[in-house]
Amino acid sequence: LSGSLPVRNIFFRYIIISSLRVDDQDGLQFMFLRTLNDDQKRALWVLAYHLVVSDHNVSLKEGELMDELTNGLRTDIPVLPQQLVERPSVEAFDTRESRVAVMLEILTVALGDNMFPDAESKLVKDLASELGFGNEAFEELRSWAERNSTLLDEAQKIMARS
């Protein structure tokens, strides 16, 4: 398929680079990572991995977002292959700030390719529920992420013109 990566390729790609920084640029997409500790960052990365492979079609944009997330984590703690098999517990997100941060970052990945298939939508809604967010709070977070995604797309277009 044009414009997508086979799921098995992204699995092996991130086993290899999960503990590496993709580049030295600060990511535009992910602005709340600094509020998370290393365990929370690892859990976020694995949750994002589960999100992008949930529909068995990883778009090129999702691959780029995962690269940027990997870079933005700025941690040397590796994600081991066996940690990718099961979805991590949300217990690591033990403060409201960390729960909001992880939802905003996950929604950034989910909405970043301008597609939100049913499998991804279900995973994100289930995560929101597990983190204690009701429908109204989830919609507020999603609305913010949609606006943020639009603004980031606009910013990247402006940068590309310069």
Side-chain angles (χ1 to χ4, degrees), residues 119-130:
E120 289 182 8
S121 179
K122 179 177 178 358
L123 191 147
V124 172
K125 287 178 183 177
D126 290 349
L127 177 61
S129 179
E130 285 180 62

Side-chain angles (χ1 to χ4, degrees), residues 39-59:
D39 289 337
Q40 292 167 336
K41 288 176 181 180
R42 182 186 300 112
L44 166 60
W45 194 93
V46 175
L47 288 167
Y49 168 81
H50 280 261
L51 175 71
V52 300
V53 300
S54 65
D55 63 352
H56 306 286
N57 181 31
V58 181
S59 71

